[in-house]
Amino acid sequence: MGTAFYRLRTEEKTVTQVVTLLAHGCPLQAICAAFDLDEPTVLNWHQRAASQSERVQKLMVEVPRKLGEVQSDELRVKAQGRLFWMASSMQVSTRLWLGVVVSECRDLPLIVSLIMIVKRCASALGRGFWFTSDGLTSYVSAIREVFREPDHPLQPGRPRLVSWPKILIAQVIKRVEARRVVEIERRRVQGSAEEVELLRHKSKEGGVLNTSFIERLNGIFRQRLSCLARRRRALIGLPERLH
C-alpha cells in the first residue's frame, strides 16, 4: 500500500512539473527528453490540463463583474502552411485576462465570439464601461451587435433589440513606417469625452487612451510560448492546440 501511494504521489508531482513547464513555453521535445516520456503521454496531460483550465475559466472568470475599461487586441500566428489569428481581451483595472478566441480569419465572427466572452463577464446592464482596441472596424460592429437586449413589447412578434446604455468605444490607431510608430491617433467612436473621463475617474485609471496593457500581455505570450514567437521553427498545426 505504501509503495503504491508513493508511486501515485511521484506521478502527480511529475504531471505538475510537466504542465508547469508547458505553461512556461518549454518545448515538448525537451520535456520528453528530460523526463523520459513519450509525446502522446505529455500531449494527453496537456489536453487534460487545458480542459480543466477552461472549466475554471468559465466558473471563475466568466462571471458578472464591474469591468471598467476593457482592452482587446489580436495576435498573428504563423502555423504549418497557414495563419491563425488569436484575439483576446483583458480588464485593465485588475489585469484579468478575460478570454481568447482562435480563428483562421481576422473577420467579424472572430471578434463577435470574443465580445460574447466579454459580455458574460459584464455586470448589470446599467453599469457603464468602455472598450479600447486598435483600428479594426469589426470591434465597433461586434460590440453594437452583441451588447443588445430584447425589449419585450406587448404586441406579439420578434421583440425590438435595445442597446446597452453607457457603452463607450475608443480606438487607438498606430501608423508605422519602417517598423517604427510615427503617429498615434485616438478616436472616440461612441460616447463623449466627459463620459469617458467620468468612467476613468471611477475606475481609478489615469493617463490617455491606449492599448498598452493587452499589448504587454501579448508580448508575454510571444516570449513564453515558442509557437507564438515571430521567428521560430516550432510551428503549430491545429487551432485546437493553440486554443
Side-chain angles (χ1 to χ4, degrees):
M1 180 70 71
T3 304
F5 178 76
Y6 176 76
R7 290 179 178 176
L8 180 61
R9 294 291 297 176
T10 303
E11 182 179 354
E12 290 180 355
K13 184 178 180 180
T14 303
V15 173
T16 303
Q17 293 174 344
V18 168
V19 172
T20 302
L21 291 174
L22 288 172
H24 283 76
C26 184
L28 177 64
Q29 293 78 8
I31 295 176
C32 295
F35 290 91
D36 194 18
L37 299 170
D38 54 354
E39 290 191 10
T41 300
V42 178
L43 291 176
N44 183 29
W45 293 350
H46 191 187
Q47 181 62 36
R48 288 165 54 190
S51 301
Q52 176 63 18
S53 299
E54 192 166 9
R55 287 192 290 268
V56 173
Q57 168 84 11
K58 294 183 180 298
L59 291 176
M60 301 187 64
V61 177
E62 296 182 11
V63 294
R65 66 182 75 245
K66 185 178 180 181
L67 289 177
E69 181 181 2
V70 176
Q71 294 185 3
S72 302
D73 197 15
E74 317 88 45
L75 278 179
R76 182 177 180 269
V77 183
K78 186 177 180 181
Q80 297 178 1
R82 50 183 174 171
L83 296 174
F84 292 133
W85 289 93
M86 190 176 76
S88 59
S89 295
M90 73 175 300
Q91 181 185 7
V92 174
S93 59
T94 61
R95 311 298 191 267
L96 177 64
W97 189 43
L98 301 178
V100 64
V101 180
V102 178
S103 175
E104 295 187 15
C105 299
R106 188 187 182 208
D107 52 4
L108 182 60
L110 171 67
I111 307 302
V112 168
S113 301
L114 178 65
I115 300 302
M116 288 293 295
I117 297 177
V118 178
K119 185 178 180 180
R120 291 194 291 268
C121 300
S123 59
L125 185 145
R127 294 285 183 90
F129 59 96
W130 75 95
F131 291 88
T132 308
S133 65
D134 55 13
L136 185 63
T137 58
S138 299
Y139 280 106
V140 180
S141 303
I143 294 170
R144 292 174 177 174
E145 176 182 344
V146 171
F147 282 92
R148 297 187 298 175
E149 298 295 338
D151 183 17
H152 300 283
L154 298 178
Q155 296 82 6
R158 182 170 182 256
R160 183 172 62 94
L161 297 178
V162 180
S163 301
W164 282 32
K166 301 180 182 180
I167 300 296
L168 310 181
I169 306 174
Q171 289 183 328
V172 179
I173 304 174
K174 298 180 181 180
R175 292 182 172 84
V176 181
E177 294 182 2
R179 298 184 178 181
R180 297 185 63 181
V181 178
V182 296
E183 183 182 358
I184 299 178
E185 180 183 358
R186 297 176 174 88
R187 297 178 180 175
R188 291 190 307 273
V189 181
Q190 182 170 303
S192 62
E194 293 76 10
E195 292 174 328
V196 173
E197 291 301 324
L198 178 61
L199 289 177
R200 185 177 292 277
H201 177 72
K202 289 183 178 180
S203 62
K204 299 180 181 180
E205 289 293 334
V208 297
L209 293 174
N210 59 77
T211 56
S212 59
F213 295 99
I214 188 64
E215 289 176 357
R216 291 171 191 165
L217 181 63
N218 287 337
I220 293 175
F221 289 157
R222 288 198 182 276
Q223 181 184 13
R224 292 295 186 91
L225 301 178
S226 58
C227 63
L228 297 182
R230 296 187 183 276
R231 295 184 179 181
R232 79 286 185 198
R233 296 183 180 274
L235 298 178
I236 200 164
L238 299 175
E240 292 79 11
R241 185 179 176 189
L242 180 60
H243 175 77

